[in-house]
Amino acid sequence: MNYEAIIHALVDSIVEHPESLLIRVINEDERNIVVYVASETDDTARLIGRKGTIANALREVVSVAGKSENKRVHLKFESFDTEKEEE
């Protein structure tokens, strides 16, 4: 199953800069899949939402998709500007 396409279909309408959105499957084994979603800082805030409501809803949708393959899907959200803040 193409989890990157599923997530793109869900989040492209939420973010302001869909062209800068980076979605990659970074780890996949027999039972688990880790999907990395990176975007600009303001878009990351939109994807997480207040108290994580949007992030939890996205996780629920991809979790249902993963259950069809008997896999657990984990979403990780990151911002491109995180490196600048750490310096």
Side-chain angles (χ1 to χ4, degrees):
M1 187 172 294
N2 189 349
Y3 294 98
E4 294 173 11
I6 292 171
I7 296 169
H8 261 295
L10 294 170
V11 301
D12 280 351
S13 62
I14 298 172
V15 297
E16 282 188 9
H17 308 285
E19 68 280 353
S20 67
L21 193 63
L22 175 69
I23 301 172
R24 295 285 182 256
V25 175
I26 57 170
N27 190 8
E28 183 173 357
D29 59 24
E30 303 144 3
R31 314 254 291 144
N32 296 303
I33 298 171
V34 178
V35 182
Y36 179 77
V37 180
S39 61
E40 296 184 18
T41 304
D42 56 337
D43 286 338
T44 302
R46 279 186 187 81
L47 290 174
I48 294 172
R50 288 195 178 143
K51 298 183 182 178
T53 55
I54 295 175
N56 288 336
L58 291 169
R59 287 183 177 115
E60 186 68 29
V61 170
V62 296
S63 174
V64 169
K67 287 182 183 189
S68 67
E69 296 181 330
N70 293 325
K71 293 187 178 188
R72 294 186 64 191
V73 181
H74 306 277
L75 286 181
K76 297 192 180 247
F77 296 95
E78 284 291 327
S79 168
F80 290 133
D81 294 338
T82 305
E83 296 174 10
K84 293 178 186 174
E85 293 173 6
E86 292 175 355
E87 292 179 354

